Amino acid sequence: MGVPEMEAFWRSLLEKRKANTLNADEQELFYRFGKAITNLSANPKHPGLHTHQIEPLSRKYGMKVWQSYLDQGKTARRFYWVYGPNRKEITIVGIEPHPEDGKQGAYARIKLSELPEK
């Protein structure tokens, strides 16, 4: 994963799973995030991810930022990723609730982790 916050987040889920202490929400997130990472690593344009570039975030962070689906419905969550820092690498830089509330500027509240140095 590369970004310290995202790596720590994933390791925390893994540790809780090993200890069998994931609550129901964490179990669902673990399953969905694991599946999404698998799909992303196989094909960033996997149809189940519904991947698309987010122009407001790309402008804000000065690089192309992509959004992919984790889940939909009541707990709709999205994860954000970028290519890099090295060739043939993808770095996940955030997981957030679905930001699109129908208002312009819905992505303004999204804060992503920084891309690690090459």
Side-chain angles (χ1 to χ4, degrees), residues 16-54:
K16 286 182 174 184
R17 183 168 189 255
K18 282 182 184 178
N20 200 28
T21 59
L22 290 172
N23 65 36
D25 290 336
E26 291 169 330
Q27 286 178 354
E28 182 71 14
L29 180 57
F30 180 84
Y31 167 76
R32 292 194 180 275
F33 194 43
K35 183 176 177 181
I37 290 170
T38 300
N39 289 338
L40 182 66
S41 64
N43 176 11
K45 296 180 182 178
H46 186 283
L49 294 172
H50 301 277
T51 297
H52 54 284
Q53 184 184 353
I54 303 299

Side-chain angles (χ1 to χ4, degrees), residues 18-19 22 30 45 50-51 59 64 67 77 79 84 91 96 98-99 103-104 110 117:
K18 282 182 184 178
L22 290 172
F30 180 84
K45 296 180 182 178
H50 301 277
T51 297
R59 283 191 304 276
K64 288 185 179 182
Q67 173 182 281
R77 289 173 286 210
F79 69 101
T91 302
E96 291 281 338
H98 189 286
K103 298 178 185 173
Q104 189 172 10
I110 303 291
E117 298 292 324

Side-chain angles (χ1 to χ4, degrees), residues 48-69:
L49 294 172
H50 301 277
T51 297
H52 54 284
Q53 184 184 353
I54 303 299
E55 283 295 328
L57 293 178
S58 295
R59 283 191 304 276
K60 181 178 179 179
Y61 290 96
M63 66 183 77
K64 288 185 179 182
V65 176
W66 303 88
Q67 173 182 281
S68 297
Y69 286 31

Side-chain angles (χ1 to χ4, degrees), residues 87-104:
R87 287 179 48 86
K88 298 186 179 184
E89 286 184 348
I90 290 174
T91 302
I92 298 171
V93 292
I95 297 175
E96 291 281 338
H98 189 286
E100 297 151 12
D101 60 3
K103 298 178 185 173
Q104 189 172 10

